[in-house]
Amino acid sequence: MVLETERLILRPWEEADAEECYKYAKDPQIGPIAGWPVHTSVENSRQVIRDFLMVPETYAIVLKETGLPIGSIGLHHNDLAEKDDEAELGYWLGVPYWGRGLVPEAARELLRHAFEELKLARIWCGYYEGNDKSKRVQEKLGFKYQWTTEDAPVPQMSETRKGHVNLMTREDWKILITLYEPSLEDLWFRQVMMADPETMSYNHAWGGTIPFPKEEWHDWYDFWIVNHENRRYYRYLKDNSGRFIGEIAYHYDSNRNLYVADVIVHSPYRGKGYGGTGLELLCSVAKKNGIKVLYDDIATDNPAITMFLNHGFIEEYRTSEIIMLKKEI
Ligand SMILES: CC(C)(COP(=O)(O)OP(=O)(O)OC[C@H]1O[C@@H](n2cnc3c(N)ncnc32)[C@H](O)[C@@H]1OP(=O)(O)O)[C@@H](O)C(=O)NCCC(=O)NCCS
């Protein structure tokens, strides 16, 4: 089986990869933190490839740009994932390639393969205490924390360590969404959404649908995406099949001296939990960008209030027309 992403090919390991494998796996920053010993020679890497990597559902992460393997990713059965419809996700990447989002990119495709083609129901993923980069990868992928064990086995190193366990179920995966920075041409979707009476019914007090003709796109794009001045943030929400399903945004309101959130899910995609997930994503981006409190003023009759309350927003005050919601993030 060969899988493909924008920048990567995921294909089975071969003995001929030993040299490239050794180049990265000899680095002590990779194996030990993940629970396996540093490779000691090309021959040792060849042995590991034969014994551990040339197995079903383990893939060499090959960079399209060079055609060479730079890491490994796979689905395994073990004591965490012993049932037939479960697997544990494991991965490592050569140090020179860290920080480019390559493992999350590979993992998203492998998760798609696991849930859609292998019909698995649950994917586990763990990391040992202190492995913050791997923890971050799992957070970004949408895994949910389950439990921590003081003495998780590290079989290949004959020891135990504190380990944290995360899980993604097929149900979680189905409603998983990612943030996407639209290109100028992608603004057709915003135009469609703004023109849809059902999507925009929440805005009825202010006129409902909003025209967003092509002539306005350039200025809008410049304001929200190009020259955001760290005061504005705008992304599309994209589902697993790459469809645009809505938008999230925040902006600084200088009159009131606060940051205002915005989440819109296109009407055909409502009622699936996308709004709440979008709101969580927005809060986590805002937090990362140094924002402490997010607000939203929402019409008193807007049913989306429940969604905000379910995700930690509280009512600050209300008028006859709006409720001011607030969350410390
Ligand atoms: C964990 C690992 C696979 C991450 O792969 P990656 O493709 O670099 O993942 P990302 O680019 O998404 O980076 C993840 C986080 O690492 C940190 N990071 C980013 N660039 C980095 C760099 N150049 N150097 C060190 N850390 C970096 C950041 O916190 C980043 O999160 P962010 O995107 O929110 O900023 C890689 O670090 C690795 O191989 N580690 C050793 C093996 C291992 O731990 N495997 C998992 C066992 S559970």
Side-chain angles (χ1 to χ4, degrees):
M1 181 67 153
V2 174
L3 302 169
E4 188 178 345
T5 71
E6 196 186 328
R7 294 174 290 176
L8 304 167
I9 302 281
L10 309 179
R11 56 118 172 111
W13 279 95
E14 297 159 5
E15 285 190 33
D17 296 323
E19 212 155 304
E20 292 303 315
C21 180
Y22 177 60
K23 201 153 107 188
Y24 304 114
K26 68 181 177 195
D27 190 320
Q29 294 178 84
I30 299 190
I33 199 165
W36 45 269
V38 171
H39 292 197
T40 51
S41 63
V42 175
E43 197 37 56
N44 176 225
S45 287
R46 201 180 326 274
Q47 192 66 42
V48 172
I49 291 176
R50 272 198 295 265
D51 294 348
F52 293 100
L53 302 179
M54 286 173 74
V55 293
E57 300 309 333
T58 289
Y59 299 84
I61 302 177
V62 174
L63 197 62
K64 279 185 184 169
E65 213 176 286
T66 59
L68 295 169
I70 55 167
S72 185
I73 189 160
L75 298 166
H76 320 273
H77 285 288
N78 57 18
D79 48 352
L80 200 57
E82 50 189 13
K83 298 197 191 123
D84 285 349
D85 63 352
E86 300 186 344
E88 182 181 355
L89 175 69
Y91 44 76
W92 61 265
L93 191 73
V95 175
Y97 300 95
W98 286 6
R100 299 190 201 172
L102 290 169
V103 164
E105 181 173 322
R108 276 190 200 101
E109 172 58 12
L110 194 55
L111 288 168
R112 187 203 59 73
H113 170 65
F115 290 120
E116 277 188 355
E117 283 145 20
L118 303 176
K119 311 278 182 220
L120 299 187
R122 276 170 299 280
I123 308 290
W124 300 89
C125 198
Y127 63 93
Y128 297 118
E129 174 79 3
N131 193 351
D132 294 338
K133 291 190 247 312
S134 187
K135 176 185 185 191
R136 182 73 195 118
V137 167
Q138 293 169 38
E139 271 170 13
K140 290 199 290 187
L141 288 169
F143 275 85
K144 291 188 184 154
Y145 174 75
Q146 303 299 306
W147 68 75
T148 294
T149 329
E150 286 302 323
D151 50 1
V154 191
Q156 288 190 60
M157 303 194 61
S158 311
E159 57 179 70
T160 58
R161 287 185 207 161
K162 187 169 179 176
H164 306 275
V165 175
N166 288 322
L167 175 68
M168 186 181 300
T169 65
R170 187 189 294 151
E171 286 66 37
D172 294 338
W173 178 77
K174 274 193 203 147
I175 59 157
L176 208 65
I177 44 178
T178 45
L179 298 182
Y180 172 80
E181 183 183 302
S183 68
L184 187 64
E185 293 71 43
D186 291 329
L187 292 185
W188 64 265
F189 170 69
R190 185 159 202 275
Q191 185 180 33
V192 167
M193 206 167 59
M194 298 287 112
D196 175 38
E198 210 178 321
T199 300
M200 298 306 288
S201 61
Y202 79 94
N203 195 40
H204 65 86
W206 294 275
T209 58
I210 300 174
F212 187 45
K214 217 166 177 174
E215 305 84 78
E216 286 178 14
W217 291 8
H218 195 274
D219 287 353
W220 184 94
Y221 195 77
D222 196 54
F223 182 77
W224 278 96
I225 310 276
V226 184
N227 291 312
H228 55 71
E229 299 171 328
N230 289 329
R231 295 177 149 217
R232 294 174 285 277
Y233 180 87
Y234 181 91
R235 291 291 183 275
Y236 279 178
L237 299 171
K238 216 175 171 184
D239 76 0
N240 266 322
S241 334
R243 277 183 301 228
F244 301 144
I245 55 162
E247 67 171 30
I248 58 159
Y250 67 71
H251 72 274
Y252 180 67
D253 178 334
S254 52
N255 293 330
R256 292 182 289 183
N257 188 25
L258 44 82
Y259 281 92
V260 183
D262 169 55
V263 180
I264 305 178
V265 174
H266 193 24
S267 59
Y269 302 105
R270 292 209 178 147
K272 299 180 201 300
Y274 287 136
T277 318
L279 193 56
E280 294 281 343
L281 291 170
L282 182 66
C283 290
S284 104
V285 171
K287 185 175 177 179
K288 208 174 155 186
N289 291 344
I291 293 167
K292 305 256 179 316
V293 187
L294 265 184
Y295 290 84
D296 197 14
D297 43 359
I298 187 166
T300 38
D301 62 350
N302 187 334
I305 287 174
T306 329
M307 177 186 87
F308 281 89
L309 297 176
N310 286 343
H311 288 87
F313 279 75
I314 51 166
E315 181 177 329
E316 175 138 282
Y317 63 84
R318 67 167 72 201
T319 66
S320 54
E321 280 164 0
I322 64 116
I323 299 180
M324 186 58 137
L325 298 162
K326 167 183 175 179
K327 183 178 180 181
E328 292 187 23
I329 51 180

